[in-house]
Amino acid sequence: GEAEAIALAIELKANWTLLGEREGRKLAKSLGLNVTGILGILLRAKQLGELESLQPIIDELINKAGFRIAPELLAQILT
């Protein structure tokens, strides 16, 4: 999935590429792509007032999609 997303971003000359895996993000950045992850998207939506709270969404990601996040990072994001 990551390789296809990177290839498509290059082909489309995308402004941003959404990638979840660390290695994929690293490769995309080395190719000159602007990269963000799901947390970047959620934080931006919160800043723009499009989300009232991040906690319920992150809880769903963890419980339903197997999303993993370090407790320290989670605490930092939620404050």
Side-chain angles (χ1 to χ4, degrees):
E2 305 289 302
E4 289 87 0
I6 292 169
L8 185 60
I10 291 169
E11 180 181 329
L12 297 176
K13 297 181 175 126
N15 291 326
W16 285 95
T17 308
L18 174 63
L19 296 170
E21 298 296 325
R22 182 178 302 172
E23 290 302 314
R25 289 192 309 263
K26 194 172 170 181
L27 174 62
K29 287 179 184 178
S30 76
L31 295 171
L33 296 172
N34 292 317
V35 179
T36 191
I38 189 68
L39 290 177
I41 300 263
L42 292 174
L43 286 170
R44 181 78 173 139
K46 175 81 168 121
Q47 291 169 343
L48 293 172
E50 295 173 10
L51 291 176
E52 187 174 318
S53 174
L54 295 176
Q55 185 73 60
I57 295 169
I58 292 175
D59 288 345
E60 274 197 63
L61 285 169
I62 291 168
N63 296 323
K64 294 183 180 177
F67 186 76
R68 295 175 294 164
I69 183 169
E72 301 82 18
L73 179 58
L74 180 57
Q76 183 180 3
I77 288 169
L78 295 176
T79 56

